[in-house]
Amino acid sequence: MKKQVWIWLLILTAMVCFVTTLISRIQQRAEIAGLLAGEDTKELLRQQKIPTEMYENFCKYEKESEYSRYEYMLGYLFTEKSEKGQIEEYLKLFHEYRWEEMQNLEKSEQAVWKDVKYFPVPLSSKDDTMITSFEDSWMFDREYGGNRGHEGTDIMASFNERGHYPVVSMTDGVVEKIGWLKLGGYRIGIRSPHGGYFYYAHLYDYAREFHEGDEIQAGELLGFMGDSGYGEEEGTVGKFAVHLHMGIYVEDEKGEEFSINPYWVLKWLEERRLKYQFCRSLSERTGCKIPYEGG
């Protein structure tokens, strides 16, 4: 009789363990599904709120881990956890339950971050008053062309005169779009190797005659900061202060393009600037380039 009781107790214990594990798995699946839920996921990707120090941490984490910096970034965006171990707990679940979705999302992060090398506006080696500034203006209200959100970051010039500040490519890539747009004025759009589309708008003029399909190197001179745009007629200027509108776009797994907040990428690139010889004299704006040699 005692033997039968022990057998039933063992069976009951095993059943309890099985049910507990099953419930835990269901809860984990539900939690992960919630963290990767459609439009909410895309909105977190679009905001890209990854401070400089966190990105540096993720670069360090990947050196001693099976996960990439881009996976850590995703874990951070979706869970708001910042400790390595905490993020890895979720990454393990992501890989177990939603591996394919994570693969697609990782490609999106690579399209934003993997190819960036330089801040788009160099420092001046001749005039240290020729500086720029920017803020997180993501989705600020804009009215020209209808009410809309600002899909980019504006890099403002301290010297408000068109044609002085050089604009360089943040990445290697290929020219995908070139020429006049009603909103963006003279713009150039470059597709980077991992799929990001980098959009430079309101230029005063171009460094040379670019064509769609031209290969571009990171740090290559694209043109000069201006105030073109906001007009049906090509060449419209004077509607706003001199600045560079910087936009970043990526495609999802369906091939649909969506905009990304460039602010956090630009913050990381602030210490990664080239130096050009330019000043308040337009005759000296195309002086020789001094390569960036920082870390």
Side-chain angles (χ1 to χ4, degrees):
M1 184 67 178
K2 287 184 178 181
K3 186 176 180 181
Q4 289 180 330
V5 171
W6 276 108
I7 291 173
W8 280 109
L9 283 174
L10 288 172
I11 293 173
L12 182 60
T13 301
M15 290 178 65
V16 169
C17 289
F18 173 77
V19 171
T20 302
T21 301
L22 182 61
I23 292 173
S24 176
R25 289 274 180 169
I26 292 172
Q27 290 174 336
Q28 288 175 337
R29 284 177 178 269
E31 183 177 10
I32 295 303
L35 291 170
L36 296 178
E39 290 304 311
D40 291 338
T41 300
K42 183 173 284 189
E43 185 55 35
L44 288 172
L45 281 174
R46 295 185 75 199
Q47 293 175 18
Q48 282 296 307
K49 193 173 182 179
I50 302 171
T52 296
E53 64 274 13
M54 288 308 305
Y55 183 71
E56 295 290 351
N57 285 341
F58 300 147
C59 293
K60 294 174 184 175
Y61 292 168
E62 75 171 353
K63 293 178 181 178
E64 53 188 38
S65 168
E66 62 183 299
Y67 301 114
S68 71
R69 71 185 68 179
Y70 310 106
E71 290 175 298
Y72 283 111
M73 291 159 72
L74 290 169
Y76 173 76
L77 287 174
F78 298 149
T79 69
E80 298 184 344
K81 306 293 184 183
S82 57
E83 296 296 324
K84 182 174 182 287
Q86 293 176 320
I87 298 175
E88 287 177 352
E89 288 179 14
Y90 282 93
L91 291 180
K92 183 178 180 182
L93 295 174
F94 286 144
H95 274 246
E96 185 173 357
Y97 296 128
R98 308 295 283 269
W99 183 83
E100 187 172 342
E101 290 178 58
M102 279 295 289
Q103 289 289 101
N104 290 327
L105 292 171
E106 186 178 358
K107 289 178 182 177
S108 296
E109 286 299 88
Q110 289 175 338
V112 177
W113 290 88
K114 192 161 188 177
D115 299 319
V116 292
K117 295 182 181 179
Y118 300 118
F119 192 83
V121 183
L123 295 170
S124 172
S125 60
K126 300 191 70 173
D127 186 346
D128 60 11
T129 69
M130 300 287 286
I131 59 175
T132 57
S133 61
F134 62 98
E135 64 177 353
D136 187 0
S137 58
W138 175 249
M139 286 298 147
F140 280 17
D141 290 339
R142 293 291 186 269
E143 295 181 356
Y144 183 83
N147 292 331
R148 55 193 171 83
H150 185 233
E151 294 188 340
T153 296
D154 290 336
I155 302 174
M156 308 303 297
S158 63
F159 181 51
N160 188 35
E161 293 286 342
R162 63 182 74 104
H164 291 263
Y165 292 80
V167 174
V168 302
S169 181
M170 296 165 64
T171 68
D172 293 339
V174 174
V175 175
E176 191 165 295
K177 298 292 183 182
I178 187 74
W180 180 263
L181 280 181
K182 179 176 70 174
L183 290 179
Y186 291 114
R187 64 46 164 118
I188 184 169
I190 295 172
R191 185 73 63 180
S192 74
H194 284 86
Y197 181 75
F198 292 79
Y199 172 74
Y200 308 80
H202 306 312
L203 299 178
Y204 171 65
D205 60 2
Y206 298 105
R208 61 179 174 86
E209 186 177 353
F210 291 102
H211 300 92
E212 293 180 8
D214 285 354
E215 292 188 2
I216 300 294
Q217 291 185 333
E220 182 173 340
L221 183 62
L222 301 177
F224 295 87
M225 194 186 294
D227 59 346
S228 62
Y230 279 27
E232 296 286 351
E233 183 179 350
E234 181 173 343
T236 299
V237 295
K239 301 292 187 180
F240 40 74
V242 170
H243 70 281
L244 172 68
H245 171 95
M246 190 70 235
I248 302 177
Y249 298 80
V250 301
E251 293 182 351
D252 61 20
E253 68 278 6
K254 297 178 182 178
E256 297 176 357
E257 191 171 70
F258 60 96
S259 55
I260 294 292
N261 185 358
Y263 175 78
W264 303 99
V265 178
L266 292 170
K267 286 297 289 183
W268 182 69
L269 289 172
E270 271 192 298
E271 301 302 318
R272 292 160 176 79
R273 299 193 192 215
L274 294 168
K275 286 187 177 180
Y276 274 63
Q277 292 191 40
F278 67 96
C279 57
R280 294 170 185 249
S281 169
L282 280 177
S283 64
E284 298 183 63
R285 71 176 191 175
T286 55
C288 51
K289 178 176 67 174
I290 303 174
Y292 168 80
E293 295 180 351

